[in-house]
Structures are given as structure tokens and as C-alpha cells.
Amino acid sequence: MATAIPQQVRASETINWAHALLEQGYCVIPAAVPPATIAALDADLGADFAGTPFCRGGFYGERTKRFGRLLARSRHSRSLVMHPTILGIADKILGPWCDSIQLNLTQAIALHPEALPQLPHRDQDMWRGSIGEVEYLLNVMWPFTPYREENGTTLIWPQSHGYRAFDARPATDPIAVEMQPGDALLFLGSTLHGAGGNRSHHIRRGAIVSYCLGWLKPYENQWLAYPPETARHFDPELAALVGYRQHRPNLGNYEGQCPSVLLQDQGQSRLGAVDALRPDQEQLIAAHVAGQRD
Ligand SMILES: O=C(O)CCC(=O)C(=O)O
Ligand SMILES: [Fe+2]
């Protein structure tokens, strides 16, 4: 896996969370970031929450506001997106199916009073791959306000993931996952879930950050959300996560090279294509080339 995981993350911690996710389809990491980080992010997004129109359509919800590109709107979003433990978990869950993971989306969500419960769904259904064995996505819900049953916290159907996605009806009742700012709710792309209805008098605010297999089309167009002028101010790891990295072999290249060339000061006007292969493919090609020379 190309995603570098900072050393301070204990491998056992990552493995335990990944294990819980694969058993239950979800888990909650309490106090994953300081509440002050969430408060600062919420404050940075205040004008966007106020000014963004309500969504249209039954899925997004007509009493719900949503907007993306959080990395361009607040620097505080970086500590959510680059959370070391969560990146480690994402690598564990998605790593078996790709060479490197990518950011699928960042999306702030404000669920206003009288919002109706959302259609229960599986986020993996935005792609039409085979279901059962493969996990395509890891979702992280970050509450900015307390998330309660009454204000429409996310409903999760435990153990509805993986091959259970074939079931016509879920085998369990949903759980209204109650959380505080700073907590993180993780759930798989195959897990049945949806926003609850907001029966309170307060707005439920929060954000989703999700990661997906590096060879999929992400939900949010990351290159448009973070064009080179924006991404050149990101750390290399963050730039890679939003698409300035090739997914071996050769996917997502720019003129046959890693798209991170666009983040450098002086671009060359003509670039030559360079193989970006997995080690097994390097070996195969090397043997093929050597065989022809003999
Ligand atoms: O807002 C929530 O609690 C969940 C939203 C969701 O699942 C979605 O929009 O895909
Ligand atoms: Fe969803």
C-alpha cells in the first residue's frame, strides 16, 4: 500500500477497529479528535452552512443542506481526512482490493428540524460492481453537534454488510448511533444505513469523509474540487489521496507521468511517458524485454 501510516499509530489498534468493522459493519471511535478541532471546523463552515440552499430530491432530502470540498474551505478538515488511525483502518479494509486508496468525498451535512428519515441504503450501490466479498468504500461520519436519536442521528443496521447485502430484508433493527463532537462513526460501503428524521428543534450538523478503492470513480470529482493550484499547498500524502498519484499500473496519469508533476513549480512543456507498474508487472516486463534481447 502506498499510503504512509505514521508510526505512532499502533498496529494492534488499527487491526482491532478493522476487525470490529468487518464483524459488525460499523464501529465508533470515541474522542478520535479533540472537540476543539471540530468546533473550529464548524465555525469555518458557518457561512457555508447558512448560505447553501437546501437540497432537492428525496435522497439528499429537502430539509437537508450539503456541500463538499471541505479541504478547500477549512484547514481543520485535514486532521479528519488524514486521521492516522482511520487511514490505517481504511488501508486494512480496502487494501486487499487496490494498490492505493483515494478520497471519495468530504461532505458537510446539516439536517434541519422536520427532516424526514432518509431511505436506508448502501453507499456501494453507486457503483455496480459485484457484491459480497469486495469492500469498495469506508465511510466516516464526524458529528459537529451531538447526534441523538431525536435529531436524526445516523441509523445503522448492524451486520447488514458483505454478503448480507443480498438479503431482501435486514436481519436486525437499526441502531441510532448517539455521539458527541470528536467521536467518529465508521461504516462500510456495504452496510445498510441512512440519516434518521430530525424531530428536534435544532439543526444536526456534521460531515462525512469517505475513502474508496483507488481505481474507482470517486463520488466527488477530486481533481475539480482540488485543482493543481489548490493541491500544491497540500502535503504530498494529502495530494496523493485526492488524486495526485498514479494507481499502478498507470491509472490516473498525466501525459504518461504521475499527475503530481502538475504540483511542481516548473512544468516541462513535453513529458515522456514512464511505466508505473506493480512489482509483479515490473518483473514480467523485465523478463519479456530480456528475452527479446537474448
Ligand atoms: O446524514 C446521515 O446520517 C447519513 C447520510 C448518508 O448516508 C448519505 O447521504 O449517503
Ligand atoms: Fe449514505
Side-chain angles (χ1 to χ4, degrees), residues 42-56:
D42 191 23
D44 280 355
L45 300 179
D48 293 315
F49 275 124
T52 301
F54 282 102
C55 304
R56 287 160 55 188

Side-chain angles (χ1 to χ4, degrees), residues 25-38:
Y26 80 105
C27 66
V28 177
I29 304 183
V33 298
T37 302
I38 299 292

Side-chain angles (χ1 to χ4, degrees), residues 59-60 66 107 109 111 118 121 123 139 141 147 152-155 187 193-196 204 208:
F59 180 74
Y60 282 149
R66 296 171 189 256
Q107 186 180 72
I109 302 183
L111 200 71
Q118 193 183 27
H121 61 279
D123 284 354
N139 258 315
M141 174 61 89
Y147 268 37
T153 189
T154 310
L155 301 175
F187 55 101
H193 70 281
R204 189 212 75 172
I208 300 189

Side-chain angles (χ1 to χ4, degrees), residues 62-102:
E62 310 246 336
R63 293 287 296 155
T64 303
K65 294 185 177 187
R66 296 171 189 256
F67 53 86
R69 292 194 308 113
L70 300 190
L71 290 163
R73 295 180 196 262
S74 169
R75 66 187 170 87
H76 296 290
S77 59
R78 292 187 195 187
S79 44
L80 274 48
V81 171
M82 296 303 288
H83 192 283
T85 305
I86 292 175
L87 282 179
I89 297 167
D91 267 346
K92 282 265 171 310
I93 301 285
L94 303 174
W97 315 108
C98 63
D99 189 53
S100 54
I101 63 169
Q102 64 181 330

Side-chain angles (χ1 to χ4, degrees), residues 138-155:
L138 178 68
N139 258 315
V140 187
M141 174 61 89
W142 293 95
F144 294 179
T145 61
Y147 268 37
R148 299 274 167 255
E149 194 276 330
E150 196 198 14
N151 71 6
T153 189
T154 310
L155 301 175

